[in-house]
Amino acid sequence: MRKTFLDLGMQPLANNFSKKYVPASLRLKLKFDTKLKLAMINKHVKKEKMFNKSYPYRSSKSKLVGTLFYNLSKKIKKKFDPRNILEIGCNDGMFASNFDRKKITCIEPCKEVALEARKKGLKVYINYFDDTLVNKLVKFHQKFDLIFSANTITHISKYDNVFSNISKILKDDGTVIIEEPSLLETIRKNSYDQFYNEHIYVFSAIALQNILGRNNLEIYDIENLKVHGGSNRYYIKKSINKNIKISSRFKRNMMLEKKYELHKFSCYKKFSKKVKDSKANLIKLIKNLKKDNKKIIGYGASAKAVTILNYCNLKENYFDYFYDTTKQKIGKFLPGTKIKVVKYQKLKNNKSYVFLGAWNFYKEILKKEKFFYNNSGNFITHVPYPRIIKKKGK
Ligand code: JHZ
């Protein structure tokens, strides 16, 4: 049974940046699957509508992501020494380019992004990860020692199909490493903006283990990452592989999730109440600033920011523009609004208020914007509750 716990109102496709105003047209609700203990959105948009040649997101826009990928690649080489690796959803090749090109095969359905990865000398299948491709992979590559995927699996609607296909192309003693937003962190931070049309689920370790179990796979270890607002890196093996023990770190994570009652519907009801309060408080904060004739701009036209602005109905009446470094977003409207994305410039005007659309890169941004911050510039965030971030001693 799937029970609704939150209504995010009318939402657009969060990455549909366009020169033409496109109103929000998706009624997005959040549901809890009581059998799998899975939190998910109610509507699944066709993949071709979301992930196509105009997809704007580039993982290489964040230095932090680059560093994490580099460090992980070093660990993989040392610990697993894989003969062959498959990356599902390689984006512009930021992770894969840390490896010997002969050893890694990538999949990326968004053509323009995939071509950028190919320019880095990578072998990239411009395809969705589906049955046809998996059969082709089995035929041409045999099976893989290591399969990696970051922020991709939650974007694919048929979870059983994904994992049964992964199981098909993984060697019996192979490892799967996936990184996805953490539901526990989403709830702790009240970052409801982790749910949008692309994030069909936000996994708890509990829910993911339930799905994997149906597909002859299991999590054996976990790392909690700060990136993307709080993610988990799951280490997965085949259930028949008894040579690897389940780590105590993973057991502790499961216990913590149970303590927070992520397996119970009541937890989501409480979350929903907190989200509604957050919405009311953010609206109040922004409206008060506007009443005082303050200029408000956004920093980072993220999919998450799109979700917040549409949920709170805070649009062009409140924000002058959003800064972003992504070429593919500049000159276009933030989906569902008439707010323009403009080319990023270092923050100088400390009279304006800056809403952190990329709140998850707060530390990286603060370093970049030292001048603004040190000279009484004001950042606004909604995480973990709506507020103006004050510099210590200000
Ligand atoms: P960012 C995307 O979500 C989409 P988004 C996707 N669905 C997903 O799962 C996650 O990524 C992983 C800009 N920026 O990364 C770049 C600056 O302008 O939080 C981005 O447009 N200056 C695949 O879109 C945006 O902000 C900066 O200094 O929510 C951040 O988007 C920095 C650090 C970022 O992901």
Side-chain angles (χ1 to χ4, degrees):
M1 192 162 78
R2 286 177 183 172
K3 290 167 126 181
T4 302
F5 60 90
L6 184 65
D7 187 345
L8 286 178
M10 295 305 284
Q11 292 284 345
L13 299 185
N15 265 307
N16 188 18
F17 289 80
S18 165
K19 287 197 169 151
K20 241 178 42 201
Y21 165 64
V22 187
S25 59
L26 265 181
R27 183 73 187 270
L28 216 62
K29 292 184 184 177
L30 308 190
K31 295 193 168 227
F32 179 66
D33 184 306
T34 52
K35 189 170 167 210
L36 288 171
K37 317 296 179 203
L38 178 65
M40 63 202 299
I41 59 169
N42 62 327
K43 291 231 171 71
H44 301 180
V45 178
K46 275 202 172 134
K47 55 186 185 308
E48 295 80 3
K49 272 189 131 181
M50 300 188 279
F51 309 114
N52 47 44
K53 63 177 173 30
S54 44
Y55 193 66
Y57 177 73
R58 300 292 186 273
S59 33
S60 58
K61 287 292 152 200
S62 161
K63 268 193 193 154
L64 171 68
V65 174
T67 308
L68 285 171
F69 280 167
Y70 173 71
N71 291 343
L72 177 64
S73 71
K74 273 208 325 209
K75 184 172 168 180
I76 288 176
K77 285 175 202 168
K78 200 167 163 208
K79 192 167 173 200
F80 300 97
D81 189 24
R83 270 160 301 170
N84 59 355
I85 307 169
L86 176 70
E87 184 179 4
I88 305 170
C90 72
N91 199 272
D92 55 7
M94 177 106 128
F95 170 77
S97 50
N98 290 302
F99 292 90
D100 177 346
R101 304 298 190 262
K102 284 193 242 57
K103 286 191 177 177
I104 189 153
T105 303
C106 304
I107 305 167
E108 175 51 59
C110 306
K111 192 171 171 196
E112 292 305 314
V113 193
L115 293 177
E116 287 172 34
R118 274 190 184 166
K119 273 197 195 137
K120 294 175 181 154
L122 293 160
K123 177 176 174 55
V124 186
Y125 284 96
I126 306 180
N127 281 93
Y128 296 102
F129 182 68
D130 58 13
D131 297 347
T132 320
L133 179 67
V134 167
N135 291 335
K136 200 159 139 187
L137 287 173
V138 171
K139 204 164 147 199
F140 291 112
H141 296 272
Q142 298 167 327
K143 292 188 176 185
F144 292 90
D145 284 325
L146 195 129
I147 299 176
F148 176 73
S149 184
N151 296 294
T152 300
I153 305 296
T154 46
H155 297 63
I156 310 177
S157 68
K158 295 178 183 157
Y159 44 77
D160 278 324
N161 180 260
V162 174
F163 288 114
S164 73
N165 273 330
I166 285 181
S167 191
K168 219 187 251 178
I169 49 171
L170 180 70
K171 287 189 187 155
D172 285 350
D173 59 353
T175 290
V176 183
I177 303 176
I178 66 169
E179 292 182 12
E180 297 293 348
S182 150
L183 183 61
L184 182 59
E185 283 308 302
T186 301
I187 286 181
R188 276 174 156 174
K189 295 197 170 82
N190 214 17
S191 49
Y192 57 88
D193 47 321
Q194 290 285 14
F195 287 95
Y196 51 93
N197 64 293
E198 290 177 17
H199 284 181
I200 300 169
Y201 333 95
V202 177
F203 289 133
S204 61
I206 299 174
L208 184 60
Q209 191 72 312
N210 286 338
I211 298 169
L212 292 170
R214 297 163 24 144
N215 294 289
N216 311 314
L217 296 165
E218 63 184 356
I219 307 168
Y220 69 87
D221 196 11
I222 189 169
E223 280 166 17
N224 306 122
L225 310 175
K226 289 208 167 89
V227 71
H228 297 303
S231 309
N232 283 332
R233 180 181 287 154
Y234 300 98
Y235 291 81
I236 299 163
K237 65 176 186 67
K238 285 199 173 171
S239 319
I240 50 161
N241 178 1
K242 302 290 178 204
N243 295 327
I244 302 174
K245 282 212 178 89
I246 309 287
S247 75
S248 47
R249 184 161 61 172
F250 177 63
K251 288 178 190 159
R252 280 199 303 276
N253 265 262
M254 290 289 264
M255 263 154 47
L256 189 63
E257 288 194 356
K258 286 201 174 129
K259 194 173 146 205
Y260 274 81
E261 304 195 322
L262 296 198
H263 56 308
K264 292 189 181 160
F265 185 63
S266 53
C267 165
Y268 301 88
K269 291 294 283 179
K270 276 186 224 153
F271 173 58
S272 166
K273 159 89 180 63
K274 273 173 63 190
V275 171
K276 286 176 196 155
D277 289 348
S278 169
K279 173 181 177 172
N281 291 331
L282 183 65
I283 293 174
K284 201 163 129 196
L285 191 157
I286 300 282
K287 284 195 173 169
N288 281 341
L289 288 175
K290 226 46 218 175
K291 245 190 241 157
D292 290 345
N293 284 323
K294 302 290 186 204
K295 174 175 170 164
I296 312 174
I297 65 164
Y299 195 112
S302 66
K304 292 185 279 294
V306 171
T307 310
I308 303 163
L309 266 44
N310 280 279
Y311 176 54
C312 298
N313 199 19
L314 291 168
K315 301 187 180 175
E316 53 282 0
N317 297 349
Y318 300 97
F319 292 90
D320 286 26
Y321 50 83
F322 259 65
Y323 275 145
D324 203 285
T325 50
T326 317
K327 192 174 83 202
Q328 290 77 4
K329 295 183 182 178
I330 293 166
K332 298 184 179 159
F333 287 131
L334 241 94
T337 81
K338 287 180 192 156
I339 306 169
K340 267 268 168 75
V341 181
V342 304
K343 194 172 169 195
Y344 160 74
Q345 280 179 25
K346 219 173 182 58
L347 297 176
K348 285 194 188 106
N349 181 358
N350 57 6
K351 297 272 180 297
S352 54
Y353 284 72
V354 180
F355 177 73
L356 284 169
W359 59 265
N360 44 310
F361 293 116
Y362 174 50
K363 282 199 179 143
E364 191 170 330
I365 293 171
L366 222 72
K367 251 193 214 162
K368 251 165 87 173
E369 306 303 342
K370 253 193 205 139
F371 174 83
F372 176 78
Y373 191 57
N374 289 341
N375 287 287
S376 308
N378 291 296
F379 283 113
I380 306 169
T381 186
H382 80 301
V383 167
Y385 58 89
R387 68 192 196 285
I388 294 166
I389 300 170
K390 291 269 176 224
K391 191 170 184 288
K392 272 189 196 120
K394 242 203 267 179

